[in-house]
């Protein structure tokens, strides 16, 4: 036992060197590659409802990670750049909704790590910081996020545990829940799903309900950041799509997965961003690659098999949404969570552009005692914190 304790101590000493990153791999990676291949084998559909690269795989791999980091700093991609820039201010207004005492932080999809740094710095200033557990399907994204999140912070190596895992799968959430509870015991956990990540999933409402059911205990909190819209017309849907269309770096990001998983020669003129109204709940944005060559193309997939890509066929590369008030309220009710706090930023509407913004929600289990929620974030067109 003493020898084992000494080995653990030596390993922790090594991990104090920022050049090393420890990571728990929570699932078989070859199975993820099979999922990518299966998505690219779907039936032809000129409308973008067939072949696809599902959400997490847009960020899976070194090329995609680097491309995403570049896109987040693109002046022509205000969706993420402004979200990162305003996060610290919006988050500080939420601090009163946190429980007292040590608080472990589990970041689901940490992105570039800049928002996690703001959270960790705030918790440290209040003497509440404990374990930091970032979770992502991409090992490269975890390393990028961890380096940024811990910059200039003195967090012991033993308190940082990156986990490579697809948190959208029920069986993976069971394993993650067991890991977290064995690590923290009964102490409260702050979970986060930031950057409008929820909107990237086809079954977004079901995912939020799954996360709440599998992870959230009465003493825990869940920080959810989503894009919002007060306008639900077709013109607003087109404007939402245009935000993505205008960014060269975002276009490079969404096609990086296609370049990584197929041998397709990319033509940026064959990429479109299409907006639509999704009932009364959201504006939906799909980023679609079209075969406009006039002929069928044979795609070579990661397993070296080929699949036909007929003329006018499509591959959906990315999915996002901007949510309405009814859409948000319905998702929260289905997930059986209540608001413990909220902040809201609404962009300034122009004559040719609706007002889009970001909403930050502090959620807790409906089983927990209710605390007063903040004001209705959709009631005013001005920023509210």
């Amino acid at each position: 036992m003493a020898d084992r304790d000494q080995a653990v101590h030596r390993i922790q000493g090594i991990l104090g060197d920022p050049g090393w990153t420890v990571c728990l791999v929570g699932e078989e990676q070859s199975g993820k590659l099979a999922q990518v291949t299966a998505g690219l084998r779907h039936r032809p559909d000129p409308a973008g409802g067939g072949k696809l690269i599902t959400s997490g795989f847009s960020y899976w791999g070194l090329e995609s990670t680097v491309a995403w980091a570049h896109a987040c700093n693109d002046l022509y991609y205000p969706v993420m750049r402004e979200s990162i820039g305003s996060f610290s201010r919006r988050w500080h207004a939420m601090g009163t909704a946190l429980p007292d005492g040590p608080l472990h932080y589990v970041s689901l999809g940490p992105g570039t790590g800049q928002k996690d740094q703001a959270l960790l710095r705030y918790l440290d200033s209040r003497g509440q910081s404990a374990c930091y557990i970032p979770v992502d399907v991409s090992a490269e994204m975890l390393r990028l996020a961890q380096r940024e999140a811990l910059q200039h912070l003195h967090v012991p190596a033993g308190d940082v545990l990156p986990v490579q895992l697809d948190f959208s799968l029920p069986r993976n959430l069971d394993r993650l829940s067991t890991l977290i509870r064995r690590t923290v015991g009964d102490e409260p956990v702050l979970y986060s799903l930031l950057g409008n990540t929820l909107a990237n999933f086809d079954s977004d409402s079901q995912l939020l309900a799954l996360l709440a059911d599998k992870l959230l205990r009465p003493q825990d909190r869940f920080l959810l950041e989503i894009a919002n819209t007060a306008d639900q017309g077709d013109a607003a849907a087109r404007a939402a799509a245009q935000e993505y269309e205008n960014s060269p770096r975002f276009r490079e990001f969404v096609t990086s997965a296609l370049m990584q998983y197929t041998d397709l020669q990319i033509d940026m003129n064959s990429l479109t961003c299409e907006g639509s109204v999704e009932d009364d709940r959201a504006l939906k944005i799909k980023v679609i690659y079209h075969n406009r060559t006039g002929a069928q193309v044979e795609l070579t997939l990661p397993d070296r098999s080929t699949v036909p890509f007929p003329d006018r066929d499509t591959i959906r590369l990315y999915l996002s949404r901007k949510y309405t008030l009814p859409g948000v309220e319905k998702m929260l009710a289905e997930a059986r969570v209540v608001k413990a706090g909220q902040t809201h930023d609404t962009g300034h509407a122009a004559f040719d552009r609706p007002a889009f913004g970001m909403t930050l929600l502090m959620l807790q289990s409906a089983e927990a005692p209710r605390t007063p929620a903040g004001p209705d974030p959709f009631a005013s067109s001005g920023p509210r914190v």
Side-chain angles (χ1 to χ4, degrees):
M1 179 67 71
D3 289 343
R4 187 174 68 182
D5 290 343
Q6 290 176 4
V8 171
H9 180 74
R10 287 194 296 270
I11 291 171
Q12 289 181 342
I14 292 171
L15 293 177
D17 180 346
W20 293 98
T21 301
V22 66
C23 181
L24 282 183
V25 180
E27 60 184 328
E28 178 57 54
Q29 294 301 289
S30 62
K32 310 307 293 180
L33 203 58
Q35 290 180 39
V36 175
T37 302
L40 291 168
R41 290 186 178 279
H42 286 186
R43 58 182 174 79
D45 185 351
K51 297 178 179 63
L52 80 164
I53 294 176
T54 53
S55 175
F57 300 117
S58 298
Y59 307 87
W60 197 42
L62 179 59
E63 298 89 344
S64 297
T65 297
V66 171
W68 175 244
H70 289 166
C72 288
N73 293 310
D74 188 358
L75 293 174
Y76 294 97
Y77 183 36
V79 182
M80 191 54 62
R81 181 174 52 82
E82 293 175 4
S83 167
I84 293 172
S86 67
F87 181 79
S88 290
R89 172 176 55 80
R90 293 182 287 121
W91 158 247
H92 275 256
M94 301 282 283
T96 56
L98 292 175
D100 296 327
L103 194 60
H104 305 277
Y105 178 43
V106 178
S107 177
L108 303 174
T112 60
Q114 292 162 289
K115 294 180 180 180
D116 280 3
Q117 185 186 77
L119 277 162
L120 291 170
R121 189 177 298 278
Y122 179 85
L123 294 176
D124 185 60
S125 71
R126 289 167 47 117
Q128 287 189 275
S129 60
C131 291
Y132 171 47
I133 306 176
V135 183
D136 201 283
V137 72
S138 168
E140 291 81 6
M141 192 69 76
L142 281 172
R143 183 172 172 85
L144 169 70
Q146 179 179 336
R147 184 175 65 245
E148 180 67 29
L150 300 178
Q151 191 174 24
H152 308 307
L153 294 176
H154 301 290
V155 180
D159 289 344
V160 181
L161 185 60
V163 178
Q164 184 180 6
L165 191 76
D166 182 351
F167 57 78
S168 68
L169 302 178
R171 64 179 182 275
N172 286 352
L173 283 178
D174 286 333
R175 301 181 66 200
L176 180 62
S177 175
T178 300
L179 170 68
I180 292 170
R181 293 176 189 188
R182 287 179 177 175
T183 301
V184 309
D186 292 328
E187 292 179 337
V189 176
L190 172 63
Y191 294 94
S192 74
L193 186 63
L194 305 175
N196 202 34
T197 299
L198 183 67
N200 299 149
F201 292 87
D202 286 280
S203 302
D204 53 346
S205 294
Q206 292 89 329
L207 176 59
L208 182 60
L210 182 67
L211 293 170
D213 178 60
K214 297 288 187 180
L215 299 178
L216 205 56
R217 302 167 299 175
Q219 67 267 39
D220 299 331
R221 298 293 183 270
F222 194 106
L223 189 65
L224 178 67
E225 185 182 36
I226 52 176
N228 65 60
T229 178
D231 193 336
Q232 205 185 342
D234 292 335
R238 290 192 295 271
Q242 195 67 38
E243 286 187 338
Y244 296 86
E245 187 90 45
N246 288 341
S247 169
R249 289 296 178 87
F250 177 80
R251 294 164 72 88
E252 291 172 7
F253 159 66
V254 291
T255 54
S256 64
L258 194 57
M259 294 180 66
Q260 183 175 347
Y261 303 127
T262 76
D263 61 346
L264 186 65
Q265 295 297 310
I266 304 297
D267 172 18
M268 288 296 186
N269 292 324
S270 296
L271 190 73
T272 63
C273 301
E274 302 176 7
S276 61
V277 178
E278 188 179 27
D279 300 324
D280 66 342
R281 65 186 305 269
L283 303 177
K284 179 187 284 188
I285 302 98
K286 295 193 295 184
V287 182
I288 299 173
Y289 189 87
H290 303 257
N291 180 1
R292 291 173 172 169
T293 63
Q296 178 167 293
V297 176
E298 294 293 323
L299 298 181
T300 301
L301 303 183
D303 61 0
R304 298 297 185 267
S305 64
T306 60
V307 63
F309 186 34
D311 183 38
R312 301 178 64 81
D313 194 8
T314 59
I315 303 173
R316 197 194 75 192
L317 303 180
Y318 195 77
L319 174 68
S320 190
R321 295 178 176 90
K322 295 182 185 295
Y323 293 96
T324 65
L325 173 59
V328 172
E329 296 298 335
K330 184 177 180 182
M331 282 198 302
L332 299 187
E334 291 176 352
R336 292 183 295 178
V337 293
V338 295
K339 290 180 280 188
Q342 58 189 8
T343 63
H344 179 71
D345 267 1
T346 301
H348 298 291
F351 72 94
D352 61 345
R353 180 183 182 274
F356 300 135
M358 299 296 293
T359 298
L360 195 60
L361 298 167
M362 183 73 77
L363 306 175
Q364 63 188 62
S365 170
E367 300 176 11
R370 293 173 181 259
T371 57
D376 178 0
F378 293 84
S380 170
S381 59
R384 177 181 294 170
V385 294

